[in-house]
Amino acid sequence: MSQMEKKRLPVRLLARAFRNELDEKDRAELESWMKEPGNRDLYAEAWRFWDDVQGRASEYDPDGVELWERFRRKVSRRRKSAGVIRMAAAVAAAVLVILAGVLCLSQAGQREPDIVAVKSMSGKSGTVLPDGTVVWLNSASSIKYDNASFGRRDRAVTLDGEAYFNVAKDLKKEFTVSAGGLSVRVTGTSFNVKESGRTVVVSLAEGSVELSSPSGDGLSLVPGEKAVFDRCSGKLSVIPGNVSCDICWARESLNFKSRPIGEICRYLSVWYGVPIRTVPSLEDEYAYTFTVTDEPLEEILVIMGRINPIEYEVADGVYTIRELR
């Protein structure tokens, strides 16, 4: 077997990975392949290509030649070796395998999914799924699920944006959230998922969750832990952070009791969905006790400024808190 054959991309394995259909054997095989030099970069290239194409698959019949040519030109500009170009062909082929499978199912007269979409256009909104799971959607976020199968054959939802889930317990049917290529699996727990740009962040409040990426990486979280998935590199890891702050936006109110201004501003930043910064000298200077429900941010900051000598300014959407001049 030549070196090129050893490094050739596992086309059908990649197709299953992108559709979250890997079993334990598949994951081990893909993980082994990812460890070979250069393969993680090829995987990231393949994911970016698939992520770009999949959103268009429902709008038109994909032109296989056009897709391949576009991808070949993209890779050729970056790497000139014949070996990489040949592996790029395998990448494009894997994407086409997925798209072809979708088209074949459609042409075979399979049942059209009864897709239910729940969106939060401005501000946060709550909804209850058919199984009793409570979901809070942050502003401009949405979830989708197949109403014909949800609660019967599965409990699977797809997230775009940020949501907090309080999952109804069902030991026979695990609850699955797909967000940006990351799969989150639980039977009953409370957690937050934020899909934004190239990352997906999962923060666990209660229970336990299992995470798995398209590359086969996986890990479990315990309450108080958070994980980040980088969609471009395929890396999945546990990171430090304040889970309570991450999920505070989904509460009915924020309650502070003798908390320092720096900590309060971090919570307010999540609650209102805007960046709020305090100058370093103010981080632990003043403490406040108050409750926030639906008051405008500016009103809260003005009241804080009446209690202690501080002021705020807004530039490029960023709020900065400093000592009163």
Side-chain angles (χ1 to χ4, degrees):
M1 181 179 295
S2 68
Q3 185 66 23
M4 176 54 61
E5 289 174 333
K6 290 181 180 179
K7 292 189 66 176
R8 181 168 294 138
L9 198 69
V11 175
R12 296 190 179 277
L13 188 64
L14 183 67
R16 292 197 295 275
F18 286 171
R19 299 177 67 178
N20 288 322
E21 296 176 351
L22 296 177
D23 56 25
E24 293 300 319
K25 182 180 179 181
D26 291 336
R27 294 183 192 283
E29 183 179 348
L30 187 58
E31 183 176 359
S32 177
W33 179 86
M34 292 276 283
K35 292 179 180 178
E36 296 180 15
N39 285 353
R40 185 169 290 276
D41 288 341
L42 283 173
Y43 176 84
E45 190 77 46
W47 168 253
R48 284 191 289 268
F49 179 62
W50 163 243
D51 192 44
D52 177 60
V53 171
Q54 66 173 341
R56 310 170 188 229
S58 61
E59 300 175 6
Y60 63 91
D61 289 342
D63 182 337
V65 176
E66 189 276 335
L67 289 175
W68 156 239
E69 284 299 321
R70 177 155 56 89
F71 185 67
R72 183 187 63 79
R73 290 193 299 269
K74 181 178 180 182
V75 176
S76 296
R77 286 195 298 269
R78 299 182 182 181
R79 311 176 184 87
K80 298 299 183 180
S81 72
V84 169
I85 296 302
R86 288 172 62 185
M87 279 194 285
V91 172
V95 173
L96 295 179
V97 166
I98 301 172
L99 296 177
V102 173
L103 291 175
C104 286
L105 285 176
S106 176
Q107 294 169 358
Q110 295 290 325
R111 174 190 62 80
E112 289 292 332
D114 178 16
I115 300 298
V116 174
V118 183
K119 300 180 180 181
S120 178
M121 301 307 295
S122 61
K124 64 182 181 181
S125 62
T127 187
V128 180
L129 301 183
D131 67 334
T133 292
V134 177
V135 182
W136 280 97
L137 292 170
N138 212 339
S139 180
S141 300
S142 66
I143 57 170
K144 297 179 181 179
Y145 61 91
D146 186 345
N147 193 45
S149 63
F150 189 93
R152 299 176 178 85
R153 293 187 296 275
D154 59 47
R155 295 195 296 164
V157 302
T158 300
L159 169 66
D160 181 13
E162 182 175 15
Y164 177 76
F165 297 86
N166 190 346
V167 179
K169 182 171 290 188
D170 186 340
L171 298 179
K172 295 182 179 180
K173 296 186 183 71
E174 66 180 11
F175 191 95
T176 304
V177 180
S178 297
L182 183 69
S183 177
V184 184
R185 303 189 306 276
V186 303
T187 54
T189 188
S190 300
F191 60 99
N192 193 79
V193 182
K194 183 176 184 179
E195 181 267 334
S196 178
R198 61 179 286 168
T199 63
V200 181
V201 178
V202 179
S203 305
L204 180 62
E206 297 178 1
S208 63
V209 298
E210 294 182 1
L211 312 180
S212 59
S213 71
S215 66
D217 291 338
L219 55 82
S220 298
L221 295 180
V222 297
E225 287 188 331
K226 60 190 294 184
V228 63
F229 169 61
D230 188 308
R231 299 171 61 184
C232 294
S233 68
K235 184 179 180 181
L236 176 63
S237 56
V238 176
I239 60 173
N242 186 338
V243 169
S244 175
C245 185
D246 290 346
I247 66 176
C248 74
W249 67 268
R251 299 175 183 170
E252 294 184 357
S253 63
L254 284 182
N255 300 289
F256 302 108
K257 185 175 182 179
S258 299
R259 307 312 303 167
I261 188 172
E263 177 183 334
I264 287 174
C265 285
R266 284 189 286 275
Y267 276 82
L268 293 179
S269 180
V270 175
W271 179 266
Y272 289 101
V274 296
I276 305 175
R277 301 171 182 170
T278 57
V279 296
S281 60
L282 276 181
E283 186 72 16
D284 299 308
E285 184 68 16
Y286 302 116
Y288 293 86
T289 297
F290 62 90
T291 298
V292 179
T293 52
D294 56 1
E295 299 83 358
L297 172 59
E298 290 76 10
E299 179 180 321
I300 297 296
L301 297 179
V302 167
I303 293 175
M304 292 172 68
R306 291 173 180 169
I307 299 173
N308 291 300
I310 64 170
E311 62 180 359
Y312 74 93
E313 67 175 14
V314 184
D316 298 325
V318 178
Y319 288 73
T320 301
I321 315 297
R322 57 167 51 93
E323 290 275 9
L324 185 64
R325 298 171 181 173

